[in-house]
Amino acid sequence: MAAAQGRAARLAASAGERLARWRERAGTWFRAWGAKAWAWAKSKLGWAWGATKGLRRRGYARLRHYLRLAAAAFFATVAALAVMPASLFVGAFANIPAVVNKRFRFTNAGMSWPGRVARKVFGKLADASRRRLNAQLADMATPITSDAEHVGHVCDDPGATNGPVTEEPTTRGEHVSVFATSAEEVANAYAAYDPPAMAAVAAEYKGLPDAIRFVNDAVMALAENSATIYPMDPAMAEGVSQVSQVLEATAAYADDIEPTFRQVHEHDVMRLENPRVNEHWWNVGGIDGDGALWATASVLATAAEEVRGVYQSWSPEGMGDSAAMAVGAEYEGLPVGLEHLADAVTSLATRSADTYPVDPCIAEMVADVVHGLRKAISAAMELQPAFRRLHSEEIDHNENPRNGEHMWAAPKNGGASA
């Protein structure tokens, strides 16, 4: 009995020693794995932080711009309230004859003063803020370069264009640019659209900057993914960001088209928004207009909004043998997609000059927007040559693989495990 108890005690002690050794080995392994994982994560975070420096600077500049717009709205409201007493007094005084003698009709004299003052104050402050933002974004723009050599320039001459994009394939191997495909749908949708009234045309002028910004959101997503997710040289993210800057500056210019349209055609707009009794008697040709069209949404902006969601659900993983080559197809398709957007805006400019009853200055402003889009296309055309030069070895291995090339495949998790 004593011998059996002794053997049991020795077995328990041996098992405890083994468990202690296993625990020590497991602790050592986990500590080593944690150190490697932390070092990998730290290096990736450091690289991402450095690669997104330009994006963060531009984001801070836009945040300051939005804060200035909020302050402009506050001062515009204060200005409107300041003229409110005078507006009410003039309105009341002007309607005394209508109260005394019903032969006189009521008038809204002075009632529009607060709105006009608010729009003028906000417009002045907002324009100054936009000019300041555009100047800051222009100062932040840098050429697409690598550590070794200069790859190309982007809009060195603000007035220069490279002409229309040639019809080059938007594929890289088996990969098709989803940006170019979705932007082509925008051009097709607007080419088939025929506005039935000037109210619908006004909606297109109002939605033009939104359409550009919707497309620019997809471009910014490509820039952010290139900096933080895609295994690309940081210069690629910076190059796409430059395209985004040109688009944002173009959208900022387009913001002035609809207010200018309203100012130039103030009387025509007033007849639609605040019609007098039997206003339709002044219609040329006796054709009745459709007042409901004034609330029509911009067809161009609605179609372009679909482009914004391009990179929200799309991922290059699973796109054939090389996901990186699928990203390369996006760089190649970026100028082609912007060309489709420029085609749609060119159609609006042509109709404004030849078909729509608008002042020639409106058609000229829309044409200037097309010119801005051409500059963005010129900048985007630098991306594909830069991609092929900065990643020449990787591209060569994908297009001309060596025997057993798959043996050089990198682990999916970046080698974080032990």
Side-chain angles (χ1 to χ4, degrees), residues 386-399:
F387 169 73
R388 297 195 67 86
R389 183 173 301 186
L390 295 174
H391 304 278
S392 57
E393 289 193 24
E394 296 96 329
I395 294 174
D396 182 65
H397 292 165
N398 276 272
E399 295 179 342

Side-chain angles (χ1 to χ4, degrees), residues 31-374:
R31 284 192 295 271
W33 182 87
K36 290 182 179 180
W38 170 249
W40 176 83
K42 188 176 180 181
S43 65
K44 293 294 183 181
L45 289 174
W47 175 85
W49 182 260
T52 57
K53 180 180 179 181
L55 292 176
R56 286 184 281 108
R57 290 181 61 198
R58 286 184 286 277
Y60 295 151
R62 292 190 180 93
L63 177 60
R64 291 192 294 269
H65 168 65
Y66 296 142
L67 292 176
R68 290 193 296 268
L69 290 182
F74 171 76
F75 288 120
T77 303
V78 172
L81 293 176
V83 300
M84 184 73 73
S87 172
L88 295 175
F89 176 78
V90 171
F93 185 80
N95 283 292
I96 290 178
V99 175
V100 175
N101 191 338
K102 295 188 180 299
R103 294 175 58 187
F104 294 92
R105 63 190 299 268
F106 285 92
T107 178
N108 60 351
M111 293 295 114
S112 62
W113 291 1
R116 290 182 178 179
V117 170
R119 286 194 295 271
K120 184 160 293 188
V121 171
F122 180 81
K124 293 287 186 182
L125 295 177
D127 289 343
S129 179
R130 290 191 193 99
R131 288 193 295 269
R132 183 175 177 182
L133 174 64
N134 294 336
Q136 291 174 343
L137 294 178
D139 292 339
M140 296 176 189
T142 56
I144 307 177
T145 58
S146 65
D147 294 336
E149 55 184 322
H150 179 67
V151 176
H153 68 279
V154 176
C155 293
D156 290 334
D157 181 5
T161 61
N162 288 352
V165 175
T166 57
E167 289 297 328
E168 297 179 354
T170 58
T171 61
R172 179 58 54 193
E174 298 178 353
H175 307 297
V176 180
S177 171
V178 295
F179 178 83
T181 302
S182 59
E184 185 177 10
E185 296 176 0
V186 176
N188 293 337
Y190 195 72
Y193 176 60
D194 184 18
M198 282 307 300
V201 176
E204 296 306 315
Y205 294 142
K206 184 177 181 180
L208 180 56
D210 292 333
I212 299 174
R213 289 191 173 97
F214 288 147
V215 174
N216 191 28
D217 286 342
V219 177
M220 291 175 62
L222 179 60
E224 294 172 0
N225 291 340
S226 297
T228 58
I229 299 177
Y230 304 153
M232 301 295 163
D233 190 285
M236 294 307 303
E238 187 64 24
V240 181
S241 297
Q242 291 176 46
V243 179
S244 176
Q245 291 176 39
V246 181
L247 289 175
E248 179 58 36
T250 304
Y253 177 82
D255 283 331
D256 296 331
I257 295 180
E258 197 261 347
T260 304
F261 169 79
R262 283 181 167 271
Q263 180 180 1
V264 174
H265 298 279
E266 181 178 8
H267 179 72
D268 299 308
V269 173
M270 182 190 67
R271 292 187 60 238
L272 296 178
E273 291 186 331
N274 300 300
R276 296 164 293 189
V277 176
N278 293 322
E279 185 68 53
H280 63 280
W281 288 10
W282 286 104
N283 291 348
V284 177
I287 301 175
D288 291 337
D290 189 350
L293 290 173
W294 196 254
T296 302
S298 168
V299 172
L300 182 60
T302 302
E305 191 172 6
E306 300 295 329
V307 182
R308 181 170 60 176
V310 165
Y311 297 112
Q312 293 180 350
S313 57
W314 180 79
S315 173
E317 287 195 275
M319 302 291 290
D321 294 334
S322 176
M325 297 301 288
V327 178
E330 295 306 309
Y331 296 142
E332 184 180 12
L334 190 58
V336 180
L338 294 178
E339 179 69 24
H340 290 313
L341 177 62
D343 289 343
V345 182
T346 299
S347 177
L348 178 59
T350 303
R351 295 175 184 178
S352 299
D354 301 337
T355 306
Y356 301 152
V358 297
D359 192 276
C361 71
I362 303 299
E364 293 174 1
M365 293 183 71
V366 180
D368 289 340
V369 172
V370 177
H371 182 69
L373 294 175
R374 297 292 181 194

